[in-house]
Amino acid sequence: MVEQAEKDGLRLSYHTPYRLNIHRDEFCKLAWQTIQTVNPNINLPELAQPFSDCDEDIVRQIEALGIVTGYEDGTFQPTRELLH
């Protein structure tokens, strides 16, 4: 699957070696790379407000698209792992 993604133009090299558990901010980067590869001219909604613990544009863009959300306390917890 990883090899096919790279053939399709997804450059996932920063996430090597590949592992099942990744951080929430890493997931956002992968999602953003995928979106840009599939639709490089995407019209983004207005960026979400920054989280109290994370103000990365990529995270805010992925949240604005409804792919991820923050926590009720206003945090994103970017280094929290997504478990498989």
Side-chain angles (χ1 to χ4, degrees):
M1 183 177 345
V2 171
E3 292 82 13
Q4 185 61 48
E6 289 179 344
K7 285 179 186 176
D8 291 337
L10 296 176
R11 289 175 179 63
L12 308 175
S13 60
Y14 83 89
H15 193 58
T16 303
Y18 299 102
R19 61 187 197 277
L20 295 177
N21 298 344
I22 65 171
H23 293 161
R24 290 169 50 85
D25 61 344
E26 292 174 324
F27 171 80
C28 290
K29 291 173 187 170
L30 291 173
W32 185 242
Q33 287 178 353
T34 303
I35 291 165
Q36 285 187 312
T37 299
V38 173
N39 186 0
N41 299 316
I42 188 169
N43 291 322
L44 292 171
E46 186 173 327
L47 287 181
Q49 294 297 315
F51 296 103
S52 62
D53 63 340
C54 180
D55 191 24
E56 293 184 44
D57 283 345
I58 289 175
V59 171
R60 293 172 58 209
Q61 288 167 333
I62 296 301
E63 185 203 16
L65 291 170
I67 297 171
V68 298
T69 61
Y71 292 91
E72 289 182 12
D73 65 358
T75 63
F76 181 70
Q77 301 179 20
T79 58
R80 187 173 186 170
E81 285 189 343
L82 294 175
L83 303 175
H84 67 294

